[in-house]
Amino acid sequence: MTLHPREGLGGSLLSRRRLLQLGALAAAAGTGALAGCSGRPTTTAESPVRLSRPDNPVRLPRFDDVPAIADGLQPETGGTLKVFNYPEYLSPDVLTAFGKQYGVDVEVTTFTTQEEAIAKLRTAGIAFDVYFPTVDIIGKVVAGKLLQPLNHSYLPNLGNAWPQLRDPFYDQGSQYSVPYAAFTTGVGYRTDVVSSVPPRGWDLLFDSVYKGKVYILDDPREAISMALLRAGQTDLNTEDSALIRAAGQMLASLIDAVNVKVGITGYQLLADGQASVHQVWSGDIINAQYYLPEDVGNEVLGYWYPQDLKGPVGTDTIAIPASADKPVLAHVFLNHLLDNDVAMENFSYTGYQPALTVATPERLVADEYVPEHLVAAVITPDHYSKGLQELQLSADGDALWLDEWAKFRAGS
């Protein structure tokens, strides 16, 4: 039997995925946390790292003045291991157990956006040992020399990760990062209200039967990507202005059709019945079962994701800052989180699935992490291979997407 995700937390908890996207919005708005890293699609004097894509993998650069640690070093003892992460994205029990095992305190400092995190990482006199960057930011922080290369001799548990994430397209050779949690984006719904789900589940969001109780994610990449997919477009990183405008117009049609609302707490809104249909992340539909009233069974929750797996998918990562005071112990901590048992205990708290081969649909259902009828929310390596990723755009591409989102929000 597992612990409840977010046990002891109030229902007002800000969605962790939303925190990621707030960081993306800040970047697109031109906060420019890393000088010299514009995010343009080609390698130029402005940006030494090109944008990564599954069909255009990137081997990130190495720098002589930011070396990896040597083999065979003993973990640093005493003091504090400093972890820099999103709020409530690590199990307190996992942190406590690690601290006891290695004789250190584990201190978590939180951030709400990647731009905030990067600014702090660049601040003189502030050092962290472990940092949780997103896939779309890794190239920037490496170019800014804020991460140190990993020494894989300390990371035997990396072999527990999905094969694609032992040598990921965004960081070939896992030079700077190891995988953390995985997620998909689909449609959550109340089975006691929705009588049938159309083959193209995105259509649920446009069905006037559910008017007044339809939500899409308050997130420009996810919302516009949904509209692109509904229109049959599978490039979720397109910078084609005509396609993006058409997607924006489709979103605008939701205003009259269903009086659409935007939200980031689908796990709560679906659980208490405020939403009948809600675009959600897979981790949040898994968490929703713990927000249901005591007299309501989890069978009222449903999750749709494309059967051909051509839907949004992604993973988060863990890395070690170049300024880490305890780099050897930091490697040990990364390896700890990649341990199968530790990762599953961590999942029981966060609700976001580890990208490890042990976390199979059969295992998660049998161990009661996920109800059988919500197995579509479980991610597999096949999902990851066939799924569609929302990745870093050029500055011009960001502007196109945000402009359409602003138009939609102005009218909603």
Side-chain angles (χ1 to χ4, degrees):
M1 197 66 173
T2 67
L3 297 173
H4 288 186
R6 298 178 176 146
E7 186 173 10
L9 298 174
S12 62
L13 177 66
L14 184 62
S15 164
R16 201 229 38 104
R17 291 299 316 162
R18 173 57 175 160
L19 297 176
L20 298 187
Q21 300 302 334
L22 285 171
L25 282 171
T31 54
L34 286 178
C37 296
S38 69
R40 297 185 182 277
T42 57
T43 301
T44 68
E46 290 181 317
S47 178
V49 178
R50 72 180 189 273
L51 300 184
S52 63
R53 298 290 186 261
D55 60 353
N56 186 28
V58 168
R59 181 168 290 276
L60 298 171
R62 299 282 289 265
F63 305 100
D64 291 341
D65 55 340
V66 188
I69 61 173
D71 294 346
L73 301 176
Q74 291 299 309
E76 300 88 356
T77 58
T80 302
L81 180 76
K82 297 182 179 180
V83 177
F84 200 30
N85 194 9
Y86 291 98
E88 307 300 337
Y89 204 32
L90 279 166
S91 162
D93 290 341
V94 166
L95 297 176
T96 299
F98 182 85
K100 287 181 178 179
Q101 183 175 353
Y102 290 95
V104 296
D105 294 324
V106 181
E107 175 185 276
V108 178
T109 299
T110 62
F111 56 85
T112 57
T113 73
Q114 286 292 338
E115 305 316 303
E116 174 194 341
I118 291 168
K120 190 165 287 189
L121 287 171
R122 297 180 69 224
T123 302
I126 296 179
F128 296 100
D129 300 302
V130 177
Y131 163 51
F132 287 68
T134 51
V135 167
D136 62 327
I137 210 76
I138 287 176
K140 289 184 178 182
V141 290
V142 168
K145 298 184 179 181
L146 297 181
L147 299 184
Q148 62 177 267
L150 301 177
N151 182 329
H152 285 209
S153 70
Y154 298 96
L155 302 171
N157 287 336
L158 182 57
N160 294 334
W162 294 341
Q164 307 99 310
L165 295 179
R166 300 171 201 164
D167 183 25
F169 70 90
Y170 53 82
D171 177 18
Q172 284 194 297
S174 295
Q175 292 193 104
Y176 289 93
S177 64
V178 298
Y180 185 52
F183 61 93
T184 59
T185 310
V187 179
Y189 58 92
R190 288 285 300 225
T191 63
D192 53 348
V193 177
V194 176
S195 58
S196 64
V197 179
R200 187 176 59 177
W202 309 119
D203 289 346
L204 278 177
L205 299 164
F206 294 78
D207 193 331
S208 61
V209 171
Y210 312 112
K211 189 170 185 174
K213 289 196 170 186
V214 175
Y215 287 73
I216 61 171
L217 287 167
D218 187 5
D219 178 311
R221 291 301 299 274
E222 294 285 16
I224 294 175
S225 290
M226 178 275 293
L228 287 168
L229 288 167
R230 186 169 182 261
Q233 303 294 332
T234 57
D235 182 1
L236 304 189
N237 303 295
T238 183
E239 299 191 6
D240 184 318
S241 59
L243 292 178
I244 296 167
R245 280 196 300 270
Q249 291 167 1
M250 185 182 293
L251 287 183
S253 74
L254 285 166
I255 299 170
D256 289 337
V258 297
N259 190 23
V260 71
K261 301 176 177 66
V262 295
I264 57 173
T265 56
Y267 54 87
Q268 182 179 12
L269 295 172
L270 286 166
D272 64 20
Q274 292 184 62
S276 296
V277 182
H278 201 312
Q279 183 189 21
V280 291
W281 293 292
S282 54
D284 285 349
I285 196 65
I286 291 172
N287 286 337
Q289 61 186 311
Y290 302 111
Y291 288 86
L292 290 165
E294 290 185 4
D295 59 344
V296 177
N298 60 29
E299 68 277 0
V300 302
L301 300 172
Y303 182 71
W304 175 89
Y305 186 76
Q307 287 191 347
D308 63 2
L309 305 185
K310 295 295 185 183
V313 65
T315 55
D316 299 327
T317 75
I318 328 173
I320 300 176
S323 59
D325 291 328
K326 297 182 183 297
V328 183
L329 188 63
H331 277 78
V332 175
F333 184 76
L334 265 60
N335 194 59
H336 184 71
L337 292 179
L338 290 166
D339 176 86
N340 287 332
D341 291 338
V342 172
M344 295 305 289
E345 180 179 358
N346 195 54
F347 171 49
S348 74
Y349 177 82
T350 68
Y352 277 85
Q353 179 186 333
L356 305 184
T357 57
V358 69
T360 64
E362 296 79 12
R363 163 80 185 272
L364 298 187
V365 170
D367 288 355
E368 299 183 12
Y369 290 94
V370 179
E372 188 168 6
H373 68 279
L374 290 180
V375 73
V378 178
I379 308 115
T380 68
D382 198 32
H383 281 79
Y384 189 77
S385 294
K386 295 178 180 177
L388 309 170
Q389 303 213 26
E390 298 160 6
L391 301 167
Q392 185 181 345
L393 302 171
S394 73
D396 291 341
D398 270 326
L400 286 170
W401 284 67
L402 287 174
D403 183 54
E404 285 305 317
W405 180 248
K407 292 176 185 176
F408 165 71
R409 294 296 280 123
S412 64

